[in-house]
Amino acid sequence: MLDPKLLRTNLEDAARQLARRGYRLDTQALATIEEKRKRVQVIAQQFQQDRNAKSKAIGIAKSKGEDTVKLMKEVADTGAALKQAEGELEQIQNELIEMALGIPNIPHASVPDGKDENDNK
């Protein structure tokens, strides 16, 4: 399997190198799903930061003897939204892995262009 970082950072270069062996990489599909992964990951991180901040506020409120019922409900709601975002992120990451598993290795620079061994020296 190709390094996911390579597909994220040098997608067009990877597509050119794979074309040398006769493989057409669907860069549009990979770029679309990668953009979706980034967006959902940012959302999940925001939910996590929000939950952490509210959890901290609960501790502060409890130490002051204040009512924390409202904050605890907000933390529970944020936790549910975080769980949903993490589930979506996991599904997207699995889809990316599935796509990456179907991509052949990039040929070494010394390998002649061609679809198989018949095209090589």
Side-chain angles (χ1 to χ4, degrees):
M1 182 170 97
L2 292 179
D3 180 10
K5 185 177 177 183
L6 173 71
L7 294 175
R8 280 194 297 270
T9 59
N10 293 324
L11 183 59
E12 294 302 322
D13 185 48
R16 273 192 302 279
Q17 291 181 41
L18 288 167
R20 290 183 45 227
R21 68 182 297 177
Y23 184 82
R24 185 190 165 281
L25 182 62
D26 189 353
T27 56
Q28 183 62 35
L30 277 168
T32 300
I33 195 160
E34 180 59 28
E35 180 60 37
K36 186 176 178 182
R37 182 202 61 81
K38 286 179 190 176
R39 184 173 32 81
V40 172
Q41 186 170 4
V42 167
I43 290 168
Q45 288 172 343
Q46 288 171 343
F47 281 137
Q48 191 170 23
Q49 288 174 346
D50 189 38
R51 183 185 65 181
N52 291 346
K54 288 178 181 175
S55 294
K56 188 174 183 179
I58 288 172
I60 293 170
K62 280 186 176 182
S63 69
K64 293 180 180 179
E66 298 174 357
D67 186 29
T68 60
V69 174
K70 181 181 175 191
L71 281 173
M72 291 176 76
K73 169 127 176 56
E74 289 176 7
V75 167
D77 292 344
T78 302
L82 173 62
K83 192 170 189 171
Q84 181 181 2
E86 286 175 338
E88 186 178 349
L89 180 60
E90 183 179 349
Q91 183 181 12
I92 292 167
Q93 288 173 328
N94 288 337
E95 191 175 338
L96 274 169
I97 290 170
E98 179 103 10
M99 291 174 82
L101 286 172
I103 301 172
N105 288 329
I106 293 176
H108 188 270
S110 65
V111 175
D113 295 353
K115 293 180 183 178
D116 57 27
E117 64 274 0
N118 296 326
D119 293 333
N120 294 333
K121 295 177 186 175

